[in-house]
Amino acid sequence: MWTTDCPGALKAICLVPLWLLLFLDCGMVGGEVPPHYWETPYSQPYFDNSSRREVTATVGQAALLHCRVRNLGDRAVSWIRKRDLHILTVGILTYTNDQRFQSLHSEGSDEWTLRISSPQPRDSGTYECQVSTEPKISQGFRLNVVVSRAKILGNAELFIKSGSDINLTCLAMQSPVPPSFIYWYKGKRVMNYSQRGGINVITERSTRTSKLLIAKATPADSGNYTCSPSSSDSASVVVHVINGEHPAAMQHGNSSASCLRPLSPTSVPFVLATWMSMTVAAVAWNCNFNGNWNYWSPEWRWHWDLNWNWSNLAAGLVGLWSWS
């Protein structure tokens, strides 16, 4: 036996023939591989599902779709546009005339990234990361390209009393990521770094908002103010700083306020309204009614007594003016 024939120091060497026999018996030596070995899940390429499957990008800002393939071996990774089944890239080569599409891959990495430069809304849709196995396997990614717009809260035209403060708030709408900056302009002049005292810009990237505060505005502060976040369309508002009082309709930019203007005493609506008011007041002042309950018929019987004369009209006018 090997346990008696081999000295203690050589037992490890004597074990080698035994391990070789075991491997030969299992078919692992001599080039033979069990038929089921390559069919196991981890021997074939498979997708790492930790990647984001839905991506939102803004117009003009590069969009990135990350596909991770484990155990790729010698297979190739391709990117396919689903709507027209157009092959965009194979490996790191681009197979389309649209050079905005590019495949990014680092040697030894499991990640294959489709980069779309300057995406447009028409680029929205489903893209497939495909592996050249037999049969092919693929994973879909949804891309949404939106137009980010700035919005200045309030009316498009503001009237501010001289000496009051200008307070403008801008919001970056539909921005998938906080803007790296939000600039305020008056005309073509940047307000963020203005040397004029009393100007303050407060930007909160997390909430995608920015406020422009101008203390004790003067008529010289009138003008066109623009909010311009990064990767967003800008928004503008016209500010008028005027001396003295101004109509409420101009203050709030609401034309419906014109309905509150007083009527001229000589206007037809004023005359008609006055006549109707006097008539109603005279009738109300001189109209008496009595009611009694008819036990044989469950209803009220009203008796109206209307006394109309010039003295009643005069009394009605006195009642109208005393009420008003």
Side-chain angles (χ1 to χ4, degrees), residues 146-151 170-175 229 231-235:
V146 299
V147 179
S148 179
R149 294 184 175 89
K151 179 181 180 181
C170 176
L171 177 63
M173 307 289 291
Q174 292 186 323
S175 179
S231 302
S232 296
D233 291 348
S234 60

Side-chain angles (χ1 to χ4, degrees), residues 61-314:
Q61 186 176 16
L64 300 175
L65 303 180
H66 301 282
C67 178
R68 293 186 178 94
V69 184
R70 305 293 188 188
N71 210 30
L72 179 62
D74 59 352
R75 280 80 168 185
V77 176
S78 304
W79 279 99
I80 313 294
R81 186 167 54 202
K82 187 67 179 292
R83 74 167 183 262
D84 55 5
L85 300 179
H86 188 75
I87 299 176
L88 302 174
T89 65
V90 177
I92 60 174
L93 301 178
T94 301
Y95 274 73
T96 176
N97 292 329
D98 191 342
Q99 296 301 312
R100 295 179 304 130
F101 294 91
Q102 182 184 7
S103 178
L104 306 179
H105 174 69
S106 299
E107 187 68 28
S109 170
D110 292 328
E111 187 166 299
W112 299 79
T113 301
L114 178 66
R115 185 180 191 272
I116 307 174
S117 304
S118 302
Q120 301 298 319
R122 68 175 183 273
D123 295 318
S124 297
T126 302
Y127 294 81
E128 282 191 354
C129 175
Q130 190 177 97
V131 181
S132 60
T133 55
E134 187 59 43
K136 291 182 174 62
I137 60 174
S138 62
Q139 188 175 62
F141 293 80
R142 176 70 187 180
L143 174 64
N144 301 307
V145 182
V146 299
V147 179
S148 179
R149 294 184 175 89
K151 179 181 180 181
I152 298 178
L153 303 182
N155 298 314
E157 191 171 12
L158 297 177
F159 291 83
I160 306 296
K161 184 178 179 181
S162 181
S164 300
D165 296 340
I166 298 176
N167 188 346
L168 303 177
T169 300
C170 176
L171 177 63
M173 307 289 291
Q174 292 186 323
S175 179
V177 295
S180 56
F181 61 84
I182 299 180
Y183 284 154
W184 283 94
Y185 296 87
K186 180 190 175 187
K188 295 183 178 180
R189 181 165 57 92
V190 179
M191 301 296 292
N192 298 57
Y193 312 107
S194 176
Q195 299 300 317
R196 176 195 182 281
I199 295 180
N200 192 17
V201 176
I202 303 174
T203 300
E204 297 180 359
R205 294 184 65 250
S206 59
T207 58
R208 299 165 171 79
T209 60
S210 181
K211 292 185 177 182
L212 173 63
L213 306 175
I214 303 178
K216 298 180 180 179
T218 66
D221 293 314
S222 299
N224 185 77
Y225 289 83
T226 300
C227 169
S228 181
S230 61
S231 302
S232 296
D233 291 348
S234 60
S236 299
V237 61
V238 179
V239 177
H240 303 275
V241 182
I242 59 178
N243 294 315
E245 298 294 332
H246 49 283
M250 296 177 66
Q251 169 82 16
H252 305 291
N254 188 354
S255 60
S256 62
S258 61
C259 299
L260 302 177
R261 293 178 299 177
L263 295 174
S264 171
T266 59
S267 64
V268 174
F270 180 84
V271 174
L272 292 176
T274 303
W275 180 82
M276 293 178 64
S277 299
M278 291 191 301
T279 303
V280 172
V283 173
W285 186 266
N286 297 281
C287 185
N288 302 313
F289 60 89
N290 296 295
N292 54 22
W293 179 261
N294 187 341
Y295 290 96
W296 303 104
S297 176
E299 63 181 2
W300 283 99
R301 295 182 180 278
W302 298 98
H303 303 283
W304 295 81
D305 298 324
L306 179 61
N307 300 317
W308 178 265
N309 51 48
W310 289 107
S311 61
N312 291 339
L313 178 59

